[in-house]
Amino acid sequence: METDHLSQTLYNLTQSPYALPVMCGVCVLLLVILLLRGRTRATDHAGEQMDALLHAQAEMQGRIAAMADVFSTRQAELNQSINQRIDGMTHRIGTTLTEQTKTTHDNLRRLQERLAVIDTAQNNIQTLAKDVVGLQAILSNKQTRGAFGQSRMETIIADALPMHAYAFQTTLSNGSRPDCTIRMPNGQPALVVDAKFPLEAWNAIRAARDAEAAKQAAMRFRRDLDVHIKDIATKYLIPGETQETAFLFVPSESIFADIHERFESIVQSANRARVVIVSPSLLMLSIQVIQSILRDQRMREQAHLIQGEVIRLMEDLTRLDDRVRKLQGHFSSAQKDVEQILTSSEKMAKRGSRIEAMEFETPSALTPPERSGQLKLRVVDDE
């Protein structure tokens, strides 16, 4: 409002001719007045602002104190919560580490066991490899290979037959020595078993790199086996001394199967020469048949002894029957005596009952006077 009034006054002075000097003085005066009023108002305003600032500072200090209390409380709660969570995490981490340690120990223990098994298997494999190498060395030598085949054949025969039923490396009448002769029952000629199988040509077939080499090896194998079959038929088939058929033992089931699958002509040639090619399983089956025949022969040889034993057994049975019948007669007599004793005891019991049931009667009215006063005894008989 005052500012508007001064503005109006200044406007009026500017309209007079003395406006300039007056305006200068007035301006100076107004400036002084305004400065004085500005200072007063500034002082008042500064004091109000100072009071407001002090009041705000006090409120701020109060709020800061309240916030400090809240912050301290929240800090304590936060520290407690953090400590609890850290404790829980520590416990869980400790439990997890314990379980992981236990699991690790178990896994290491199982791993050690498996490593021990692997070591054992590796040792077995190494031993087997040495055995295979030794077997290859055996099969590469004719004499040792023949000993190997003969060993398998001897094991099969010795396991199934009694010692008196076979013989190894016996000499025949023509001077030849078969690997094994099996004595047949009833005085029949012996059965010859040969274990010298030509394996070089067969190994050559397996080692052939191309078709031509395989063909040459097959021809060699067919020729060698044919020669060996003829040697068996010539040396070991002696009429009256050996059977009309001889066995050629092949110490491998796979070789036996391949011969029958790929070399049918050799099998037919062997059959015509009365030489039977047998594998370990067929030889075992044949030995079992021979064993059954020998058992039947022993049963027939012992038949008269069994018959004599049966006759003596029947005599013992007849004597036992007689003695049982005599014992039965004694028991019958004793039973009759017991029955008679029981009859006598029953009669004695009845008589005792009658004596117990005796009745005494008084004389009747018709009794003569001289007999009055006497008693009459009447016995009641139940019979």
Side-chain angles (χ1 to χ4, degrees):
M1 182 70 79
E2 291 179 355
T3 305
D4 294 338
H5 181 68
L6 289 174
S7 299
Q8 185 65 33
T9 302
L10 289 173
Y11 179 74
N12 292 329
L13 288 175
T14 56
Q15 299 300 324
S16 65
Y18 303 99
L20 183 60
V22 174
M23 283 295 294
C24 291
V26 171
C27 287
V28 172
L29 182 61
L30 287 173
L31 287 174
V32 172
I33 292 171
L34 289 173
L35 289 172
L36 292 174
R37 287 185 177 180
R39 287 181 178 179
T40 303
R41 290 180 179 176
T43 303
D44 295 338
H45 184 66
E48 292 176 356
Q49 288 183 351
M50 184 62 68
D51 293 337
L53 287 173
L54 293 175
H55 181 70
Q57 183 178 3
E59 290 181 355
M60 185 64 68
Q61 288 177 355
R63 291 181 180 179
I64 289 172
M67 290 179 66
D69 293 337
V70 172
F71 284 156
S72 62
T73 304
R74 295 289 179 86
Q75 184 68 29
E77 293 177 355
L78 181 61
N79 291 333
Q80 184 179 1
S81 177
I82 289 173
N83 291 330
Q84 290 177 355
R85 292 188 178 183
I86 289 174
D87 293 338
M89 289 292 293
T90 303
H91 179 70
R92 286 196 295 272
I93 289 171
T95 304
T96 303
L97 288 176
T98 303
E99 293 177 355
Q100 288 293 333
T101 304
K102 184 179 179 180
T103 304
T104 303
H105 286 306
D106 293 338
N107 291 331
L108 289 175
R109 179 178 53 80
R110 287 195 292 268
L111 181 60
Q112 289 177 356
E113 293 176 356
R114 291 181 180 178
L115 288 175
V117 173
I118 291 172
D119 291 338
T120 305
Q122 186 176 3
N123 293 330
N124 293 333
I125 291 172
Q126 291 177 355
T127 304
L128 183 61
K130 293 180 181 178
D131 294 339
V132 171
V133 172
L135 180 61
Q136 290 178 353
I138 289 173
L139 295 179
S140 62
N141 190 349
K142 282 187 177 182
Q143 295 180 353
T144 55
R145 187 186 67 249
F148 172 71
Q150 185 174 356
S151 176
R152 291 202 65 184
M153 180 267 297
E154 290 179 358
T155 302
I156 294 173
I157 293 176
D159 289 340
L161 294 177
M163 294 183 62
H164 64 274
Y166 61 89
F168 298 124
Q169 299 295 328
T170 57
T171 303
L172 300 178
S173 60
N174 58 1
S176 59
R177 298 183 63 185
D179 295 324
C180 179
T181 54
I182 300 175
R183 300 182 180 91
M184 302 301 291
N186 301 324
Q188 294 294 321
L191 175 65
V192 175
V193 180
D194 183 84
K196 294 182 291 292
F197 179 76
L199 197 61
E200 293 85 359
W202 182 263
N203 290 331
I205 294 174
R206 293 294 182 87
R209 298 297 182 91
D210 52 9
E212 184 64 26
K215 182 178 179 181
Q216 295 295 328
M219 293 176 61
R220 177 188 172 188
F221 174 74
R222 186 179 292 104
R223 182 176 63 254
D224 292 346
L225 190 58
D226 190 25
V227 171
H228 187 62
I229 289 171
K230 291 180 179 179
D231 289 340
I232 293 173
T234 303
K235 294 179 181 179
Y236 301 148
L237 298 182
I238 302 174
E241 186 176 357
T242 62
Q243 291 287 328
E244 295 180 355
T245 302
F247 284 173
L248 172 58
F249 178 70
V250 178
S252 175
E253 298 287 345
S254 61
I255 296 176
F256 176 80
D258 288 341
I259 289 174
H260 281 75
E261 182 178 359
R262 300 169 56 183
F263 300 97
E264 182 65 25
S265 60
I266 295 178
V267 178
Q268 294 178 0
S269 176
N271 291 334
R272 287 193 297 270
R274 298 190 300 275
V275 176
V276 180
I277 302 174
V278 295
S279 63
S281 59
L282 286 178
L283 179 61
M284 187 178 299
L285 180 61
S286 302
I287 295 303
Q288 290 177 356
V289 173
I290 294 173
Q291 184 181 13
S292 300
I293 295 173
L294 292 175
R295 188 182 302 110
D296 293 339
Q297 182 204 7
R298 288 196 299 270
M299 289 293 293
R300 286 193 296 271
E301 290 176 352
Q302 301 297 326
H304 64 284
L305 298 177
I306 297 173
Q307 186 176 6
E309 293 293 332
V310 171
I311 293 173
R312 285 190 290 271
L313 179 63
M314 292 301 297
E315 292 175 355
D316 293 337
L317 183 60
T318 302
R319 285 193 295 270
L320 179 61
D321 183 68
D322 294 336
R323 291 171 182 175
V324 170
R325 291 182 182 279
K326 290 179 181 180
L327 182 60
Q328 184 180 7
H330 292 306
F331 276 119
S332 299
S333 300
Q335 185 177 2
K336 289 180 181 180
D337 295 338
V338 171
E339 289 177 355
Q340 291 176 0
I341 292 171
L342 290 175
T343 302
S344 300
S345 63
E346 289 177 357
K347 288 181 179 180
M348 292 174 67
K350 289 180 180 180
R351 291 184 184 277
S353 300
R354 287 197 297 267
I355 292 172
E356 185 179 0
M358 282 183 181
E359 295 181 359
F360 296 93
E361 296 179 354
T362 58
S364 62
L366 299 177
T367 303
E370 63 275 7
R371 291 192 177 182
S372 61
Q374 293 182 355
L375 296 177
K376 183 178 180 181
L377 180 63
R378 184 172 64 87
V379 178
V380 179
D381 193 357
D382 293 336
E383 293 181 355

